[in-house]
Amino acid sequence: MAEVTPRSVGLGLLFCAIFSMAAAYLALKVGQGIEAAIPIAILAVGLSRFFRRRNTILENVIIQSIGANSGHVVAGAVFTIPALYMLATIPGSGVVQPQLWQVVLVSFLGGSLGILFLVPLRYHFMIENHGVFPWPEATATTEILVTGESAGNQAKTLAISAVIGAVYDGLVGIFRAMSETIRFRHAYIGEVLEKRYLNFNLLNSAATLGIGYIIGLHYSAIIAAGSFFSMFVLVTAVHAIGEHVPVILAPGTKLIAQMAPEEVFKHYVKIIGVGAIAGAGIMGVLASMPNMIRSIISNLKGMKHQDTREAKAVPRVDRSFSGAFVSAGLVIAGLLTILFFSFGLGIEKALVPALCATALVMVIAFLFAPVAARAIATIGTNPISGMTMLTLLITGVVMLRLGFRGGPGMYVTMMVGSVVCTALAASGAFSTDLKIGHWIGATPARQIAWKFAGTLVAALFTGIAMWILAHQGFGSKAVPAPQASAMQAILEGVFGT
């Protein structure tokens, strides 16, 4: 049965490029990325109708496996790298804006490390623990690939929705046919609210509406609750304090009582939100620490129980890469990481910090990448933001101990966080791909090999998307980059800027 063909590889790489740019935009705009595996699986089945020969189910596995790289590479890059762009705009920070090739290389290194650290655990996760974990996302994607006809009908709905969304957002964002923000100042509700120093606006975006459908009512309600609480409670409270106490904005001379609601939000309430994100992430990691420790111990034991059958006796559906390949890949990745931190950042006397940074990357990724995979297998959610924040704290303290302060210290610390974040996301996503292939009967070695190609394409187009959006200003109203704002706050707290 056809598996790796020009069609499956070509479509996989095409979807990887498209979804990388789309996911990067959404993550930077609303702080919520998209998991590309399910829509790509639907498209793979649906588009096969237009070929003389329909895709085989194994071709669709390869398409989905390659295309799904977009989600984890984006998660690693856009939640960390934009913080460097924001720090670079602060006078005296000493941080310079990352170059496109730096973003691409960091994303590719992180994704490759996540794949390499999970390969030795394939036998442990897929065979030894078969039937133990629920694998929510892998189950949903597998059902789509197996029930091909119904998924093909879903592809039509997906395509029509994509066209409608593109036309609507094009009219709003490109042709300015409508305002990007719906305000109620001239309606009765807006007039009443403004008299009470309340501001109620809606983002006029099909993409944001789509995100609400994807994440569901529960998480949408949580996000909306944060917006209501910040604008209708905290902004009002800060303004009330400013009316009774003559408080002046720290860097300026304007009294709080004279500020518009948007200004109060920008200079006070937004900072509270960033602190809440950072605190919740760290608390989440601490609360999960017992489970993480148990997972690490279990994974280390699993690495000892490898498939001992001879290569000739291993069925096609169990053929993976050898331990020698993984070891060589890790050595090459480690050397590239050392060279990048030593010479690729334009920082003088960076050899010792580069060695320490590389050691931190390898150790943290080795310990936490399997934890991320187990989390995906169990609950379908990867707690990468909290683990990345913990990585930034550890790396920042080490850089300070080495005397690496200011801009150079923050630059190296954030690059370490980006590599680790991408590795953790890649490990979780790759475990899902391997489980889908294990259930359907794909060849693991082929999935692994083309996973690296997908990671490279995803890194390239994620970097391009970030380079384009950077011109609008990260942290601005146009591109808020909320997750990166939390990472920036952590760096500023560690390095005292």
Side-chain angles (χ1 to χ4, degrees):
M1 183 181 290
E3 186 172 7
V4 176
T5 62
R7 181 194 301 180
S8 63
V9 173
L11 285 176
L13 294 177
L14 176 63
F15 289 145
C16 184
I18 294 173
F19 277 86
S20 292
M21 300 191 77
Y25 170 77
L26 289 172
L28 291 168
K29 187 76 173 178
V30 298
Q32 179 70 45
I34 55 174
E35 291 298 334
I38 291 177
I40 288 176
I42 293 173
L43 290 172
V45 175
L47 288 178
S48 70
R49 296 178 175 185
F50 297 97
F51 295 100
R52 180 175 298 178
R53 175 186 63 80
R54 288 200 176 193
N55 298 347
T56 69
I57 192 170
L58 296 184
E59 283 180 306
N60 288 335
V61 170
I62 294 297
I63 293 171
Q64 180 276 141
S65 183
I66 296 174
N69 282 277
S70 54
H72 68 256
V73 172
V74 164
V78 304
F79 289 172
T80 53
I81 297 297
L84 293 176
Y85 285 92
M86 290 187 279
L87 287 168
T89 62
I90 301 175
S93 67
V95 177
V96 296
Q97 289 190 359
Q99 301 296 316
L100 175 60
W101 71 269
Q102 293 174 329
V103 178
V104 173
L105 181 58
V106 165
S107 300
F108 179 68
L109 282 174
S112 298
L113 283 175
I115 296 170
L116 289 169
F117 278 126
L118 193 68
V119 170
L121 287 168
R122 188 199 68 83
Y123 185 78
H124 170 65
F125 271 112
M126 306 304 150
I127 299 173
E128 287 186 332
N129 286 285
H130 181 66
V132 175
F133 302 119
W135 297 97
E137 187 175 350
T139 300
T141 307
T142 303
E143 289 177 352
I144 289 170
L145 294 174
V146 171
T147 58
E149 193 62 34
S150 61
N153 296 329
Q154 292 176 346
K156 182 179 179 180
T157 304
L158 193 151
I160 294 173
S161 302
V163 171
I164 294 173
V167 170
Y168 191 89
D169 278 358
L171 291 172
V172 174
I174 299 175
F175 298 103
R176 305 296 179 184
M178 296 172 280
S179 174
E180 192 172 0
T181 302
I182 298 176
R183 306 179 187 276
F184 294 89
R185 286 177 179 171
H186 302 294
Y188 175 76
I189 183 174
E191 184 180 349
V192 172
L193 290 173
E194 283 208 346
K195 287 180 180 179
R196 291 165 173 76
Y197 202 75
L198 299 173
N199 200 352
F200 183 68
N201 301 323
L202 293 176
L203 185 62
N204 185 21
S205 168
T208 309
L209 188 67
I211 283 288
Y213 273 96
I214 291 171
I215 64 178
L217 179 62
H218 178 71
Y219 288 107
S220 296
I222 292 174
I223 294 172
S227 299
F228 274 90
F229 184 73
S230 64
M231 293 305 299
F232 291 171
V233 178
L234 295 181
V235 169
T236 307
V238 172
H239 183 262
I241 293 173
E243 286 185 326
H244 295 87
V245 181
V247 181
I248 299 176
L249 182 63
T253 58
K254 194 182 227 183
L255 293 171
I256 291 179
Q258 299 172 346
M259 293 181 186
E262 292 88 350
E263 293 178 295
V264 174
F265 173 80
K266 177 182 178 181
H267 295 294
Y268 288 93
V269 178
K270 183 179 179 180
I271 299 172
I272 296 173
V274 170
I277 292 173
I282 295 171
M283 289 296 293
V285 170
L286 294 177
S288 303
M289 196 60 70
N291 289 331
M292 287 185 179
I293 293 173
R294 285 193 291 269
S295 296
I296 291 170
I297 294 173
S298 175
N299 293 332
L300 290 174
K301 291 180 179 178
M303 292 182 71
K304 298 178 181 179
H305 299 85
Q306 297 299 308
D307 194 343
T308 58
R309 291 174 291 184
E310 295 183 4
K312 294 180 180 179
V314 177
R316 177 190 60 79
V317 294
D318 283 340
R319 290 174 191 164
S320 183
F321 282 6
S322 65
F325 173 86
V326 174
S327 300
L330 289 173
V331 170
I332 293 172
L335 291 175
L336 286 175
T337 305
I338 293 173
L339 291 173
F340 174 72
F341 284 123
S342 299
F343 307 106
L345 301 180
I347 300 173
E348 297 180 355
K349 300 178 180 179
L351 180 58
V352 174
L355 292 172
C356 293
T358 302
L360 287 171
V361 165
M362 302 301 282
V363 171
I364 295 174
F366 170 75
L367 293 176
F368 281 170
V371 173
R374 187 175 288 263
I376 288 290
T378 306
I379 59 176
T381 302
N382 195 344
I384 57 172
S385 59
M387 290 189 285
T388 303
M389 291 175 185
L390 187 62
T391 300
L392 293 180
L393 289 173
I394 295 172
T395 308
V397 171
V398 172
M399 291 298 114
L400 288 174
R401 291 288 184 183
L402 294 174
F404 233 51
R405 305 176 182 276
M410 289 191 286
Y411 207 92
V412 173
T413 300
M414 187 55 73
M415 286 297 184
V416 169
S418 181
V419 175
V420 170
C421 186
T422 310
L424 301 183
S427 180
F430 186 41
S431 66
T432 295
D433 294 338
L434 287 176
K435 194 60 186 179
I436 294 169
H438 180 70
W439 276 332
I440 292 178
T443 307
R446 292 176 177 175
Q447 285 185 282
I448 296 168
W450 286 103
K451 201 72 179 171
F452 289 104
T455 299
L456 179 59
V457 170
L460 176 60
F461 282 89
T462 299
I464 293 173
M466 290 181 59
W467 177 74
I468 294 172
L469 293 172
H471 294 287
Q472 299 186 41
F474 292 129
S476 65
K477 186 177 180 180
V479 190
Q483 294 283 0
S485 297
M487 305 299 175
Q488 177 192 358
I490 290 176
L491 282 189
E492 291 176 331
V494 172
F495 289 90
T497 57

